[in-house]
Amino acid sequence: MHSFGHRANAVATFAVTILAAMCFAASFSDNFNTPAPTASVKILNINWFQKEANGNDEVSMTLNISADLSSLFTWNTKQVFVFVAAEYETPQNALNQVSLWDGIIPAKEHAKFLIHTTNKYRFIDQGSNLKGKEFNLTMHWHIMPKTGKMFTDKFVMTGYRLPEQYR
């Protein structure tokens, strides 16, 4: 007969093997999900557009952020991190990204939302590059699974322009 230690080792090895197979199956099943999220960001007001004492441009705006990200959730989704960024070009950089708002969606029940807010983080450009600048608002999301790899995607909304003058 085998000793207690041998039997415990066999049971533990079998349990870990089954757990690894279940984690693989959960992660693999995410490849069959085809999400179709919707998002909209509207700029309701430019609260201020000013030049700081150090020469940098700063913008404060009021936003309406609405989204339905419920299709991102599967039985393997732990949470979804979502953020809205302003993206624009300057002579110094081909792509500038400034995060304006972010949030964590812990469950599918909270994945459909409408938020009326000012930008949570300061929209500052290093220099005087924002006057009359065209920019995109992009909603990025990172799907954090319970097991497996993290998925990321984005929804780009174009056609925004900052004022020509400070106010």
Side-chain angles (χ1 to χ4, degrees), residues 82-98:
V82 60
F83 68 97
V84 174
E87 298 178 345
Y88 59 97
E89 295 180 9
T90 60
Q92 295 86 2
N93 299 306
L95 177 64
N96 294 278
Q97 293 181 312
V98 179

Side-chain angles (χ1 to χ4, degrees), residues 51-67:
K51 186 179 202 91
E52 295 182 318
N54 60 9
N56 295 336
D57 286 347
E58 180 180 8
V59 182
S60 172
M61 54 183 83
T62 303
L63 306 168
N64 252 4
I65 304 169
S66 64

Side-chain angles (χ1 to χ4, degrees), residues 8-18:
N9 185 23
V11 168
T13 302
F14 180 71
V16 168
T17 302
I18 296 299

Side-chain angles (χ1 to χ4, degrees), residues 104-164:
I104 295 174
I105 304 170
K108 189 173 186 173
E109 296 79 36
H110 304 286
K112 191 171 186 176
F113 57 89
L114 171 63
I115 298 170
H116 179 83
T117 184
T118 58
N119 45 306
K120 186 174 177 181
Y121 304 106
R122 295 174 64 184
F123 185 176
I124 297 177
D125 180 68
Q126 296 175 341
S128 300
N129 299 308
L130 294 181
K131 281 186 179 178
K133 179 64 69 181
E134 288 185 11
F135 66 100
N136 299 330
L137 289 175
T138 305
M139 181 175 283
H140 298 261
W141 55 84
H142 300 266
I143 304 168
M144 299 172 192
K146 294 175 184 163
T147 182
K149 73 175 189 164
M150 188 167 70
F151 295 95
T152 63
D153 206 351
K154 63 185 174 182
F155 190 81
V156 179
M157 292 151 276
T158 61
Y160 298 97
R161 180 183 286 276
L162 289 168
E164 295 287 339

